[in-house]
Amino acid sequence: MHNYRNLHTWTPFYKYLALLLLCLIPVLLLALLYIQKPFNTYQNQLNYLKEQQSITQTKIKRKQSLLDYEQAQKALNNSNPKVRLSAKQISADTDVQNVSKKLFPILLNYSSSKEYSARKNKAKPYLAPSLLNSEDLFLSDKDDGVNYISTVGLSSSFISLNASTGTVDDKSDVVPVIVTVTYKVGFKDKRAAKVIDIYSGSFNYETNKFVTLTFMNNLSQGV
């Protein structure tokens, strides 16, 4: 029969081994700290380099944008009518695209009467004052005193657009525009349908606002 009490009796060898381990633990901890310190330093340096690279890239982009703007301004003020008109065309095309991509998501993203009504205020930066009362853009959702959109669960979701700009006139700041917009519209608990609408309008590229904008036609409506 085994004498279990002997299992708990430490021999000099085990006492020496335990003492050795107790002495080694602080040494190992110090070694780990020593190894960790260079790693942390390297990681900090790497993060710093990444941050500096990001700052440099931002500065380069800003500088390039400034150079592009200066070149565009020179072209717009060029004494050669053809160069000036070409620069105006490029500038107008870019402005129409940028403003359209901001405006139409505002007009076509809503899922309640509150969101629908809030569109007018959000669209102000992109529309001439006369358009803020346009029934093509801001038709009231009141139906016999009831908020129609919230009542029937109507929702609309912008998908994409394509804006085409007409030829600029050297004597005018307004350019004709055709915008084809794709979006989804549906009612609560029913599958939404994809809709493609066409809008016709005019855009002032000095004020960066649509002067006129009218719904023209519906190309398609389907699932």
Side-chain angles (χ1 to χ4, degrees), residues 145-210:
V146 177
N147 291 322
Y148 176 79
I149 291 172
S150 290
T151 302
V152 301
L154 178 66
S155 65
S156 176
S157 178
F158 171 84
I159 298 176
S160 63
L161 64 79
N162 179 49
S164 302
T165 310
T167 304
V168 299
D169 184 349
D170 197 29
K171 297 179 181 179
S172 173
D173 296 330
V174 177
V175 62
V177 178
I178 296 291
V179 184
T180 304
V181 192
T182 303
Y183 61 102
K184 279 192 173 183
V185 62
F187 294 91
K188 182 171 56 179
D189 301 328
K190 291 186 179 181
R191 192 171 182 179
K194 183 181 288 187
V195 181
I196 301 176
D197 288 345
I198 299 178
Y199 289 82
S200 173
S202 55
F203 182 84
N204 187 314
Y205 50 85
E206 287 296 324
T207 62
N208 263 356
K209 292 185 177 185
F210 279 94

Side-chain angles (χ1 to χ4, degrees), residues 64-80:
Q64 186 60 53
S65 296
L66 180 60
L67 290 173
D68 291 344
Y69 175 78
E70 289 176 350
Q71 290 299 319
Q73 290 303 306
K74 287 180 180 178
L76 287 170
N77 297 319
N78 196 287
S79 59
N80 187 322

Side-chain angles (χ1 to χ4, degrees), residues 3-153:
N3 185 356
Y4 291 104
R5 191 171 60 181
N6 291 336
L7 295 174
H8 302 285
T9 302
W10 285 32
T11 64
F13 172 76
Y14 287 119
K15 289 180 180 179
Y16 173 77
L17 184 60
L19 183 61
L20 181 63
L21 288 173
L22 286 173
C23 293
L24 283 175
I25 287 173
V27 175
L28 290 171
L29 289 173
L30 288 173
L32 286 172
L33 288 172
Y34 179 78
I35 293 170
Q36 185 70 19
K37 186 177 180 180
F39 175 78
N40 288 338
T41 302
Y42 169 77
Q43 192 64 40
N44 290 336
Q45 289 176 344
L46 185 61
N47 291 337
Y48 174 77
L49 289 173
K50 287 181 178 179
E51 183 180 353
Q52 290 302 308
Q53 185 181 26
S54 177
I55 292 172
T56 302
Q57 289 176 344
T58 301
K59 287 181 178 179
I60 291 173
K61 287 180 180 178
R62 287 178 180 173
K63 183 66 174 177
Q64 186 60 53
S65 296
L66 180 60
L67 290 173
D68 291 344
Y69 175 78
E70 289 176 350
Q71 290 299 319
Q73 290 303 306
K74 287 180 180 178
L76 287 170
N77 297 319
N78 196 287
S79 59
N80 187 322
K82 290 184 179 180
V83 174
R84 187 171 60 249
L85 200 60
S86 177
K88 272 193 173 185
Q89 186 72 59
I90 294 171
S91 178
D93 292 345
T94 302
D95 291 344
V96 166
Q97 291 291 336
N98 290 338
V99 173
S100 296
K101 288 176 181 177
K102 293 175 182 178
L103 173 64
F104 281 92
I106 291 174
L107 297 178
L108 296 172
N109 279 328
Y110 57 85
S111 58
S112 68
S113 293
K114 183 179 179 180
E115 291 177 354
Y116 183 84
S117 298
R119 299 174 311 134
K120 183 182 292 189
N121 190 52
K122 292 180 179 179
K124 278 184 179 179
Y126 315 113
L127 299 173
S130 58
L131 279 177
L132 296 176
N133 296 317
S134 167
E135 290 194 352
D136 273 344
L137 305 179
F138 304 109
L139 183 66
S140 174
D141 81 315
K142 290 285 186 180
D143 185 14
D144 291 331
V146 177
N147 291 322
Y148 176 79
I149 291 172
S150 290
T151 302
V152 301

